[in-house]
Amino acid sequence: MTGSEQALHQDMAVFHIYPHDYLIGAWIACEDIARQGGPLVFYPGSHRTPLFPGFTDYPQTNLRTADPDLAGRYREYVDGLAARFERREFLARKGQILLWHGMLIHGGAPVTERGTSRKSMVLHYCVRGADRAREVHGPFNW
Ligand SMILES: O=C(O)CCC(=O)C(=O)O
Ligand SMILES: [Fe+2]
């Protein structure tokens, strides 16, 4: 219903996927998306960058299981990578869909006008057997 304002990340750092990279996201615009509603932001080409080296035992360790120090270092890493690429906003028309690679850097832009809706739905797909979440032990951040 509203913009996520989610920090920049790669979905590979949020899901526990192995073999690596067998993950895509699908972002579906359920209405025309306004800039002030905090659109999806993404950095074309950033999916070719390496996974954060601090996730030494991925898929066990990623943002979902990282302690605050490691999570902070991931954010610095990904912000530094993103700065090398062009920033784009997905100002979609209702019904348009963006499909992205699990390593593409993306997030939610700030909502600059409170009360502006951003009706959207996201689905994530991986190859059968690549979601290793059930093998991962906590504690979990979510
Ligand atoms: O919709 C957004 O603002 C971000 C969503 C996202 O990062 C995701 O679902 O993977
Ligand atoms: Fe994401």
Side-chain angles (χ1 to χ4, degrees), residues 4 6 9 11 27 40 100 106-108 118 122 124:
S4 71
Q6 211 176 328
H9 64 280
D11 287 341
W27 199 100
L40 182 79
W100 75 87
H106 64 283
R118 198 209 67 174
V122 183
H124 298 92

Side-chain angles (χ1 to χ4, degrees), residues 28 60 108 127:
I28 305 166
Q60 164 59 37
V127 173

Side-chain angles (χ1 to χ4, degrees), residues 1 5 10 17 20 37 54-55 70 77 84 88 100 103 112 116 118 130 133 138-139:
M1 294 301 293
E5 302 189 308
Q10 299 138 318
I17 300 296
H20 284 169
F55 294 150
L70 190 64
Y77 174 78
R84 299 192 210 157
R88 299 270 295 273
W100 75 87
M103 283 295 286
T112 55
T116 307
R118 198 209 67 174

